[in-house]
Amino acid sequence: MTGFLDGTAVDLDRVQVALDGTRWLWTCELSDAGDPLMRRLDDGKDTVLSLPVVAQWHGPVAALRQPTTAAEYRQVLEAA
């Protein structure tokens, strides 16, 4: 699912990393205000905050980078 934060699309199906390095994953639930609820993955607790609060307290979020697969490398090289 795609959510929006200040007009920017956020891919909620992927782990999000905030500016301070914390990692967040969408709980598949929405707050009463309609904001995605995010669970922190790296604190060992059950911290759940709405996406706007995550951005306010921890900084902007971006999807965790996925490593390039061998198949993707092959596709690029074959197209060249």
Side-chain angles (χ1 to χ4, degrees):
M1 177 177 164
T2 301
F4 289 90
L5 181 62
D6 297 329
T8 302
V10 178
D11 183 358
L12 297 173
D13 295 326
R14 295 177 59 190
V15 173
Q16 300 295 316
V17 181
L19 185 63
D20 67 358
T22 56
R23 295 172 185 235
W24 300 85
L25 186 62
W26 182 41
T27 64
C28 297
E29 296 176 2
L30 301 174
S31 70
D32 292 338
D35 297 319
L37 293 175
M38 309 295 287
R39 174 168 282 118
R40 186 169 173 179
L41 299 177
D42 55 2
D43 70 348
K45 301 176 186 174
D46 194 27
T47 303
V48 176
L49 300 173
S50 68
L51 182 57
V53 173
V54 170
Q56 181 180 10
W57 292 359
H58 298 277
V61 297
L64 182 65
R65 295 185 64 185
Q66 300 291 330
T68 306
T69 66
E72 291 169 329
Y73 281 120
R74 191 176 314 109
Q75 182 181 13
V76 169
L77 293 173
E78 289 173 352

